[in-house]
Amino acid sequence: MTRVITYGTFDLFHEGHYRLLQRAKALGDYLIVGVTTDKYDMERGKLNVVDSLPERIENVRKTGFVDEIIIEETQGQKVSDVQKYHIDIFTVGSDWIGAFDYMKDYCRVVYLDRTKNISSTMLREQNKKIQKIGVIGSGRIANRFIPESKLVSGVSTQAVYNPHRESAERFAEKWEIDAYDDMDAFLEAVDVVYIASPHETHYEYIKASLEHGKHVLCEKPMVLEQKKAEALFAYAKERKLILFEGIKTAYCPGFEKLLGIACSGTIGSIRYIDACFTKLEEKTSRELSDKKYGGSFTELGSYCLLPAIKLFGSTYEDVRFDVVRDENGLDIFTKASLAFPRGLATVTCGLGVKAEGRLLIAGTKGYITVEAPWWKTTYFEVHYEDASRVDKYSERFLGDGLRYEIRDFLNMINGNNKSEFKLTRGESTAMAGIMEKFMAHEKRPAANGEG
Ligand code: CTP
């Protein structure tokens, strides 16, 4: 008896899948199909799979070609499956030619011709309206956003707005998109807006975008005043639009896992959180030369506040700031001490002082440590009173990580609100309130424009 194995996601089951399974079965007598789990797809960067695992399995089963279905959960599983299931032939479509030659050490490898002009990606794009993204701002973060957005199916970045025409044009040329210096024309041309302009401009841009009926993904800190955050979220809700603060850590899989472990009781009740993020900047950089809105806390505070707000909640009893300033009066290092009903948090950020960037979550039974760059969480450890016991966890973080927040933003636009818990309106609003208190402490204006 010849035993054959093949693997795939089999999302939005189509003719290409059917023909592949038919021919795979014809290669032998017994066909095993490995269907990928959502988690595995996510890890390998295949975002936005539409059908659930049970649906995808059912569709494979219904073809009648398959004798056994298994699930593919990890990279490297194929080699062990081939041995475990005594496989004679490993087969996949011709889009993978060469990729599985290493399997020849274990069995025969057959690449079957791929059916032309059909793929799950194509169907996913046909099924959903492609959201045309317009980017406001053309600086460093906007430049990181575009390649990441290309990895999420269902969105296409098509326009950039910058009041300085030349900057918009330079950016547009680089990314082959359209340049605008007229806000109304820009908003007419797009479905959703990504805001990556200086902090103090966010409020007016969000307001204008929502007024034009556009969903908004805004870089952190979204706004620097609690009332403005409340007003914007209320208005977005009234207009049935998504307003989403882009703190990428909140959407990355490693951080999600970390929160899950922290909340699971493994380290007992959480009583103390210490988050530090430093990034040395040139004195001439915008971050260290904008006397009103620059400095460490407005730049990095959102990342450090995130674990505290996620784990202790949005209600705090007290927040105090200690600041080291440069000759311009800007904070080159800031320590915020927060008291919550359930525990304490210390947040330290520096653009002009280097320190060990680390996240510590301490509980009544143990503690979790995450080394820098903890804001792109990939690895963390859980320690206990018994120092010989250490639990280690790891998770993938791909590229610049913006793809995760873009995916969640898109899911919410498409009516799948499963990601809302990752950064709630209440949490975003609480962070805006802390930013406001910091600006008042520094005797700086919270933001331009009317509130
Ligand atoms: N396949 C095929 N012909 C197609 C599409 C897929 O023969 N037109 C094969 C693939 O080569 C693979 C199997 O079907 O062996 C499962 O592929 P999968 O990745 O699930 O399907 P795609 O349509 O290629 O999915 P995506 O667009 O998400 O990559």
Side-chain angles (χ1 to χ4, degrees):
M1 177 151 102
T2 304
R3 295 167 68 87
V4 182
I5 198 162
T6 189
Y7 294 87
T9 304
F10 302 101
D11 189 29
L12 300 172
F13 199 86
H14 56 68
E15 194 202 334
H17 295 143
Y18 184 88
R19 294 197 54 236
L20 180 108
L21 295 178
Q22 188 176 37
R23 286 170 295 153
K25 172 73 178 181
L27 288 172
D29 311 297
Y30 192 84
L31 176 63
I32 302 180
V33 178
V35 182
T36 54
T37 62
D38 297 334
K39 193 167 167 294
Y40 178 50
D41 277 327
M42 206 90 89
E43 275 172 24
R44 61 194 189 125
K46 197 162 183 169
L47 309 176
N48 285 348
V49 170
V50 176
D51 290 338
S52 67
L53 179 60
E55 283 167 324
R56 291 183 283 117
I57 289 176
E58 181 55 15
N59 288 332
V60 167
R61 194 194 58 76
K62 274 199 304 212
T63 60
F65 300 130
V66 183
D67 299 288
E68 190 173 340
I69 296 176
I70 59 172
I71 57 170
E72 186 183 19
E73 289 179 283
T74 53
Q75 210 178 3
Q77 187 186 317
K78 292 185 179 79
V79 169
S80 57
D81 284 347
V82 162
Q83 296 170 90
K84 185 162 136 196
Y85 295 102
H86 307 290
I87 296 301
D88 303 294
I89 301 176
F90 170 92
T91 186
V92 272
S94 51
D95 44 328
W96 294 101
I97 279 183
F100 294 106
D101 286 357
Y102 68 91
M103 300 286 290
K104 286 181 182 162
D105 289 344
Y106 306 93
C107 60
R108 240 182 91 202
V109 174
V110 177
Y111 297 104
L112 292 168
D113 277 346
R114 196 177 153 87
T115 307
K116 292 200 172 56
N117 299 325
I118 180 95
S119 74
S120 304
T121 305
M122 206 187 217
L123 292 176
R124 278 195 290 266
E125 288 178 4
Q126 277 166 11
N127 276 7
K128 277 195 201 106
K129 174 175 178 293
I130 299 282
Q131 298 288 340
K132 284 184 269 171
I133 305 182
V135 177
I136 298 184
S138 46
R140 204 179 54 221
I141 301 183
N143 272 295
R144 278 194 210 146
F145 179 85
I146 306 243
E148 289 277 321
S149 72
K150 288 185 200 287
L151 296 165
V152 181
S153 56
V155 295
S156 159
T157 304
Q158 305 207 337
V160 59
Y161 167 85
N162 193 318
H164 308 289
R165 176 100 211 152
E166 258 180 42
S167 306
E169 273 171 2
R170 231 178 300 126
F171 187 87
E173 198 176 319
K174 176 171 174 191
W175 297 108
E176 297 178 335
I177 58 177
D178 299 326
Y180 291 86
D181 58 1
D182 177 288
M183 181 49 80
D184 286 336
F186 165 78
L187 288 172
E188 278 310 304
V190 302
D191 303 312
V192 304
V193 176
Y194 170 62
I195 300 176
S197 54
H199 314 318
E200 71 278 14
T201 62
H202 290 178
Y203 176 76
E204 290 300 334
Y205 285 145
I206 297 171
K207 199 159 152 263
S209 306
L210 294 174
E211 279 167 359
H212 276 75
K214 311 296 169 181
H215 302 288
V216 179
L217 164 55
C218 181
E219 265 305 322
K220 49 85 209 159
M222 186 177 85
V223 284
L224 304 171
E225 262 177 283
Q226 181 153 344
K227 263 205 274 158
K228 285 188 175 168
E230 281 164 3
L232 290 172
F233 279 123
Y235 184 59
K237 197 170 174 195
E238 187 188 313
R239 299 281 316 256
K240 295 194 170 51
L241 293 167
I242 305 295
L243 170 58
F244 191 102
E245 182 172 11
I247 305 179
K248 69 169 180 252
T249 311
Y251 304 96
C252 84
F255 189 70
E256 221 183 312
K257 189 182 239 177
L258 169 81
L259 293 181
I261 301 283
C263 294
S264 69
T266 317
I267 58 165
S269 306
I270 300 163
R271 293 289 183 240
Y272 178 61
I273 295 170
D274 181 18
C276 175
F277 188 163
T278 66
K279 183 176 78 175
L280 291 183
E281 288 287 354
E282 293 294 325
K283 275 189 176 258
T284 50
S285 65
R286 178 190 57 77
E287 292 86 346
L288 282 181
S289 54
D290 179 348
K291 290 185 197 166
K292 275 190 188 163
Y293 303 104
S296 308
F297 197 69
T298 49
E299 191 58 28
L300 303 173
S302 309
Y303 288 118
C304 297
L305 289 170
L306 182 72
I309 300 269
K310 291 300 304 177
L311 293 167
F312 283 143
S314 305
T315 313
Y316 51 90
E317 290 161 343
D318 187 36
V319 53
R320 282 183 300 111
F321 302 99
D322 294 295
V323 179
V324 179
R325 298 184 190 86
D326 66 3
E327 56 282 6
N328 289 327
L330 265 189
D331 63 311
I332 52 166
F333 188 78
T334 291
K335 175 173 146 199
S337 309
L338 294 107
F340 292 84
R342 282 184 282 146
L344 302 174
T346 317
V347 160
T348 41
C349 325
L351 291 177
V353 173
K354 194 67 198 164
E356 186 189 5
R358 183 182 73 134
L359 171 63
L360 165 75
I361 303 170
T364 50
K365 292 187 186 159
Y367 63 93
I368 301 177
T369 51
V370 202
E371 302 304 323
W374 61 263
W375 47 94
K376 302 180 186 177
T377 324
T378 51
Y379 174 78
F380 60 92
E381 291 183 355
V382 185
H383 296 256
Y384 305 89
E385 181 60 30
D386 172 4
S388 65
R389 183 181 161 208
V390 181
D391 296 332
K392 299 173 179 178
Y393 296 87
S394 57
E395 191 62 72
R396 272 237 196 142
F397 181 90
L398 297 169
D400 272 318
L402 289 165
R403 66 193 69 181
Y404 304 113
E405 73 180 36
I406 303 171
R407 173 204 60 202
D408 285 340
F409 176 56
L410 180 68
N411 281 341
M412 285 176 65
I413 291 173
N414 288 330
N416 175 354
N417 283 4
K418 276 192 225 141
S419 312
E420 208 167 353
F421 75 95
K422 292 183 188 170
L423 183 61
T424 66
R425 291 170 184 180
E427 289 163 351
S428 261
T429 306
M431 285 196 221
I434 296 171
M435 286 291 164
E436 180 176 349
K437 290 196 167 69
F438 173 75
M439 295 302 267
H441 179 267
E442 293 299 283
K443 301 187 176 54
R444 295 197 232 155
N448 282 344
E450 91 280 16

